[in-house]
Amino acid sequence: MDVSTLDIQIEKAPTSKIDQVDFDNLAFGSVFSDHMLVCDYRNGAWEFPKIMPYGPISLEPSAKIFHYGQSIFEGMKAYKDVDGGVWLFRPLDNHKRLNISASRMAIPELPEAYFMEGLRTLLQLDEKWIPTTEGSSMYIRPFMFASGKGLHASPADAYKFIIALAPSGSYFSGTVKVLIEEKYSRSANGGVGYAKAGGNYAGQFYPTQLAKEKGYQQVVWTDDNTHEYIEEAGAMNIFVRIGDTLITGPTSDRILDGITRKSILQITETKGIKTEVRKLSVTEVVEAAKNGTLKEMFGTGTAAVVSPISGFGHRGQDYGLPELDDSYASMLKKTIMDIQYNRAEDPFGWRYSVIG
Ligand code: PLP
Ligand code: COI
């Protein structure tokens, strides 16, 4: 498909809501820009995307999303540099992953040109909404769901793909204390853990609520079979530093293949940080905490960037982590953010210009 010939139809919002937004105090994902991109799948094909005012959409009560949960999403950010240039970070990887999720949930794949050109046009239209305050960015939420009606438990015949834009501050306010979960599971072999399916998150809410009641912000999921190996957190992949070695678990069909995670792995390789991608047992982490070699734990993700973990709970025992001046987490966060905000060279070719 020739991207340059895509001329996306735009229905502009009659008035802008931008004056109602306090850009100095942005929460995560709670205000939305003036417009959204909408694309419908009907009669066996994706129709041309349209841009319209951001607002409620109408669905039949029998739309299959409500009954059978065919729903997937992506998480991305747009970053504005000091000269007003706007950048995305590895957006083609998000498109690829959207279609991996789509296939797993029996949702039709979306053409790359609709995704990329839709994003570009929407961001150009709502450019003024992209925040410039330190630590803020335009969080981008592309999502797709079954809008087709009927109660037969089978894939729908109609879908909607929408992109909404949310100028956002940081995902976590304050430090993150995690609980290593041994009863509930996030995903299982042969399941949908590797897909960014809405239900993967719904299933985590109850165990995370229980963890919150005990004073933890996130659950660290362990493998569903033995609960002995560390997998990932609610919205993040996990890294653990023991001594000077950084360790993260391998991806599998139980784990989301995070774009931040794989970027961190490339950065540590070029920086000469010893990094291992291997199974990491809870016993090893608890032992390291006890003998003082556990130096850092942090989560990685688009929303969370690199979020240091201040401590973890395991079987009723709390383990604290030291506060390091020269942590890998802060170095990696700075390195990745400098690339994202066009403050540093991009040796990996990750930045993607949308407004230049
Ligand atoms: N794991 C889960 C379950 C997530 O929801 C996310 C967030 O997208 C991640 C990991 C990190 O992925 P990425 O770095 O691509 O945002
Ligand atoms: C992201 O990091 O973009 C995500 O999609 C995680 C989400 C649950 C906030």
Side-chain angles (χ1 to χ4, degrees):
M1 192 171 308
D2 180 3
V3 176
S4 60
T5 60
L6 271 190
D7 192 9
I8 295 175
Q9 188 192 319
I10 298 173
E11 182 200 335
K12 280 204 176 171
T15 53
S16 176
K17 302 167 299 193
I18 198 164
D19 293 340
Q20 299 163 23
V21 178
D22 178 2
F23 279 87
D24 292 326
N25 292 293
L26 288 169
F28 176 83
S30 52
V31 292
F32 293 88
S33 73
D34 287 330
H35 300 94
M36 61 183 182
L37 179 109
V38 179
C39 190
D40 279 295
Y41 180 92
R42 284 190 200 108
N43 305 318
W46 284 103
E47 294 177 354
F48 220 59
K50 287 182 266 200
I51 288 177
M52 56 184 70
Y54 175 88
I57 50 174
S58 154
L59 291 171
E60 288 260 350
S62 75
K64 289 197 178 183
I65 170 63
F66 298 133
H67 306 274
Y68 306 122
Q70 264 184 302
S71 164
I72 57 169
F73 70 97
E74 269 301 319
M76 313 169 69
K77 283 176 174 171
Y79 310 89
K80 198 174 250 185
D81 69 25
V82 287
D83 300 317
V86 177
W87 305 88
L88 294 170
F89 185 72
R90 310 186 74 171
L92 292 164
D93 291 6
N94 291 96
H95 172 259
K96 249 186 235 146
R97 192 171 64 188
L98 180 80
N99 279 345
I100 290 171
S101 303
S103 298
R104 181 61 183 87
M105 303 305 285
I107 296 174
E109 293 186 6
L110 184 82
E112 182 185 298
Y114 286 11
F115 185 86
M116 294 304 296
E117 220 25 48
L119 262 178
R120 181 197 300 279
T121 314
L122 184 63
L123 284 165
Q124 284 172 349
L125 184 65
D126 281 350
E127 190 211 326
K128 286 199 181 70
W129 284 82
I130 304 172
T132 50
T133 38
E134 184 57 33
S136 303
S137 58
M138 179 66 101
Y139 186 74
I140 304 169
R141 175 51 62 89
F143 60 106
M144 237 186 225
F145 59 89
S147 51
K149 56 190 181 182
L151 298 183
H152 195 274
S154 53
D157 59 0
Y159 296 86
K160 267 189 193 297
F161 171 67
I162 298 182
I163 304 179
L165 303 177
S168 292
S170 41
Y171 189 69
F172 291 112
S173 50
T175 54
V176 184
K177 218 171 115 191
V178 296
L179 179 66
I180 297 186
E181 180 61 59
E182 293 188 297
K183 176 176 178 196
Y184 298 99
S185 299
R186 175 186 175 274
S187 59
N189 287 328
V192 300
Y194 68 92
K196 242 172 129 56
N200 281 340
Y201 298 80
Q204 298 185 63
F205 292 164
Y206 176 64
T208 305
Q209 237 168 23
L210 298 180
K212 282 189 174 154
E213 282 163 17
K214 295 184 194 149
Y216 305 95
Q217 285 76 48
Q218 284 267 307
V219 165
V220 169
W221 299 105
T222 50
D223 70 286
D224 64 301
N225 192 19
T226 65
H227 291 295
E228 178 54 11
Y229 295 99
I230 288 185
E231 304 230 298
E232 63 178 327
M236 305 184 289
N237 296 112
I238 292 253
F239 285 80
V240 174
R241 174 178 172 187
I242 298 178
D244 284 336
T245 303
L246 204 52
I247 308 157
T248 191
T251 51
S252 69
D253 60 5
R254 298 185 304 273
I255 295 182
L256 192 83
D257 187 1
I259 294 162
T260 320
R261 172 187 175 278
K262 65 182 181 189
S263 306
I264 296 279
L265 290 174
Q266 277 182 262
I267 294 171
T268 58
E269 194 183 339
T270 56
K271 297 232 181 236
I273 292 174
K274 189 168 174 228
T275 308
E276 295 173 358
V277 177
R278 63 164 170 86
K279 284 170 85 171
L280 174 64
S281 72
V282 178
T283 309
E284 186 180 350
V285 174
V286 170
E287 278 308 308
K290 283 184 181 160
N291 69 27
T293 54
L294 181 67
K295 292 200 181 161
E296 291 181 59
M297 285 172 77
F298 56 86
T300 65
T302 300
V305 197
V306 176
S307 290
I309 290 168
S310 60
F312 70 91
H314 176 247
R315 297 191 183 168
Q317 181 79 37
D318 273 341
Y319 300 87
L321 282 144
E323 273 185 42
L324 306 178
D325 291 333
D326 55 348
S327 70
Y328 287 170
S330 57
M331 183 277 288
L332 292 165
K333 182 174 180 182
K334 181 174 183 324
T335 306
I336 203 160
M337 286 180 72
D338 282 351
I339 295 174
Q340 289 167 333
Y341 285 87
N342 191 25
R343 295 191 288 242
E345 286 300 305
D346 174 19
F348 310 99
W350 289 335
R351 255 192 321 257
Y352 182 99
S353 170
V354 273
I355 300 173

